[in-house]
Amino acid sequence: INAPRFVDAREKVFTSPHEVLRETPEGFERLKKVKDDEGNWVATEPRPGDIGVSRLLVAGWAINDDLEPGVPFVGINYFNYNFRGTGNQFNVAWAGPFLNVFWSDPSLADTRTILALETRLNPIGKNDRRFVEGDGKIGDVTAERLEVTTQTVTGTVAYPVAVYHTLQTVANLDYLRFEREDETAGSFTLPSDTVEASLSLNWVYAQAGWRLDLGAQGAVRTGWEFWGKPDGSDYDPDHERFVRSSLILNKTIYPRPLDRLGFRIAAFGGKDLDRFSKFELGEFGAGRINGYGSGIRFDRGAFLDLNYGVSLKRQVQLDFTLSHGRFENEEDYGPDPHWATGANVAVGFSGPWNSYFRVRVTGGLGTSLEDPTTSVG
């Protein structure tokens, strides 16, 4: 703490035009920067505005591998880490029909217990696809395509049981609505709209750049009735209840002040999993592999991510990620395990008016699945 070069580093910040935050009992306040008689920047009285409040405008645009642009989006984010002077944190993110509201009390009733509540609302459905082995290839079963809409409410209670150790209990309520797509076969019975309730217990260990997260989850669906192909091969009444478990290990190393090297090892497994409870590949799935979208599912799998980030002149950040995973899904892909590898390259840089830009290119480098974009009917 306060290493020998700290005083000099702090002085450089105070005499630069960069913004300075001062900690007060009410939260952080922004100090106004002005030039003195000698032309040096000095911090003076607080800038007008709310203490502890951050506002952010976010915009994005994706282009797929066919160089076809997707629909751009614009959203706003409001964050207050001292809501109404209570010390609670409150965050609202809004982009078109999407709304995310988060609130947390980091010291419930003046104890070490942390309580957090979150709601995610999105009326736009997700195109849910299924890939299976057919005709010697792994392909998209177009006759079983669906549109799934999910609304979520989450409650988390966390308690630090010891130094570096935290126990978390997470309760989830998901409302799932299923609809047909144009390609969905008429003989395919839609799943019933359902409420999926789950309870998870996680143990988290974090110290010196290490983070180990062990989790177990049990879930139950309400009114889960027959769905799928007429032959009944998709539906099993035992799938109304299912269990999932996970192990995630992260480590971050800083070989130089502006460089970051990290890795992530993750393993997942479950019991009584079906199409809608299995794990998925993809950068937003449990199997975090860039270049693969939804539809490739697995019952068990292990994954490794390697990440390297470097900053150039403190203004430009380069980030490289390589991901590899091995997974099993005997129902869809046969008894043999499969693998997939993906990569991500990103560059971020600061712009005018406190803006920040990030351009990212992702892609799949290879997989044992035979042409996982083919339609097999």
Side-chain angles (χ1 to χ4, degrees):
I1 299 176
N2 295 357
R5 292 183 296 174
F6 171 77
V7 175
D8 293 338
R10 183 179 59 182
E11 186 64 24
K12 288 181 180 179
V13 173
F14 276 117
T15 57
S16 74
H18 297 304
E19 187 175 72
V20 172
L21 300 181
R22 177 167 59 194
E23 187 174 10
T24 73
E26 292 78 24
F28 286 101
E29 62 182 9
R30 295 174 171 84
L31 299 184
K32 183 179 179 180
K33 286 293 193 73
V34 298
K35 286 187 177 182
D36 61 14
D37 296 338
E38 298 179 358
N40 300 316
W41 288 99
V42 295
T44 60
E45 72 277 3
R47 288 175 49 187
D50 297 329
I51 295 177
V53 174
S54 173
R55 299 173 181 87
L56 183 67
L57 177 66
V58 181
W61 198 10
I63 300 175
N64 62 24
D65 54 1
D66 295 326
L67 299 182
E68 294 182 359
V71 178
F73 76 90
V74 177
I76 59 175
N77 189 88
Y78 170 87
F79 176 58
N80 189 324
Y81 55 86
N82 188 23
F83 186 65
R84 295 185 178 273
T86 61
N88 297 338
Q89 298 178 354
F90 179 71
N91 189 89
V92 177
W94 172 70
F98 174 79
L99 178 66
N100 185 289
V101 180
F102 175 86
W103 171 90
S104 72
D105 185 342
S107 181
L108 183 64
D110 294 325
T111 68
R112 300 172 65 193
T113 303
I114 302 168
L115 173 64
L117 301 174
E118 184 175 10
T119 300
R120 295 189 298 274
L121 303 176
N122 184 10
I124 297 180
K126 165 192 170 184
N127 295 326
D128 189 277
R129 299 183 296 172
R130 182 189 179 196
F131 288 83
V132 301
E133 184 177 21
D135 300 329
K137 296 182 178 181
I138 301 295
D140 177 11
V141 186
T142 56
E144 299 182 20
R145 288 182 178 178
L146 296 174
E147 185 173 289
V148 183
T149 306
T150 305
Q151 320 300 332
T152 301
V153 177
T154 303
T156 302
V157 177
Y159 185 79
V161 294
V163 179
Y164 315 125
H165 301 266
T166 303
L167 281 180
Q168 296 179 346
T169 302
V170 183
N172 253 31
L173 282 178
D174 295 309
Y175 174 72
L176 283 73
R177 182 181 180 184
F178 302 90
E179 296 181 280
R180 296 182 181 274
E181 291 195 347
D182 294 338
E183 302 89 344
T184 309
S187 59
F188 187 86
T189 302
L190 288 181
S192 309
D193 295 347
T194 183
V195 174
E196 184 178 290
S198 64
L199 186 65
S200 305
L201 181 64
N202 295 69
W203 171 64
V204 180
Y205 167 82
Q207 181 186 11
W210 291 94
R211 181 182 173 90
L212 174 64
D213 191 328
L214 297 175
Q217 179 191 63
V220 60
R221 298 164 173 151
T222 61
W224 195 243
E225 301 175 353
F226 179 88
W227 67 274
K229 297 187 290 292
D231 62 8
S233 58
D234 295 313
Y235 177 75
D236 185 335
D238 291 339
H239 293 163
E240 183 180 28
R241 301 173 182 269
F242 58 88
V243 175
R244 294 187 289 203
S245 60
S246 62
L247 181 156
I248 303 174
L249 175 65
N250 292 275
K251 171 62 176 175
T252 303
I253 304 170
Y254 298 90
R256 297 189 302 173
L258 299 181
D259 293 3
R260 181 188 71 254
L261 177 65
F263 70 84
R264 175 181 182 265
I265 299 174
F268 304 93
K271 180 182 178 183
D272 292 329
L273 305 183
D274 64 4
R275 170 177 172 176
F276 305 105
S277 57
K278 290 179 180 179
F279 305 97
E280 280 192 282
L281 293 190
E283 57 182 305
F284 298 111
R288 206 167 63 183
I289 298 183
N290 293 295
Y292 300 91
S294 65
I296 301 179
R297 296 177 169 86
F298 59 93
D299 302 279
R300 295 169 298 278
F303 301 85
L304 172 64
D305 297 339
L306 299 176
N307 175 266
Y308 181 73
V310 59
S311 296
L312 306 177
K313 297 183 179 180
R314 301 181 183 270
Q315 297 295 324
V316 179
Q317 294 80 41
L318 299 178
D319 190 82
F320 307 90
T321 303
L322 180 66
S323 305
H324 177 79
R326 293 183 173 271
F327 50 91
E328 298 180 12
N329 184 345
E330 184 173 355
E331 178 185 3
D332 293 337
Y333 312 139
D336 298 328
H338 288 276
W339 60 268
T341 303
N344 166 83
V345 179
V347 57
F349 54 92
S350 300
W353 308 298
N354 288 331
S355 62
Y356 183 77
F357 297 85
R358 182 174 172 86
V359 180
R360 190 163 59 98
V361 178
T362 66
L365 300 182
T367 176
S368 60
L369 300 175
E370 289 287 341
D371 191 9
T373 59
T374 303
S375 297
V376 296

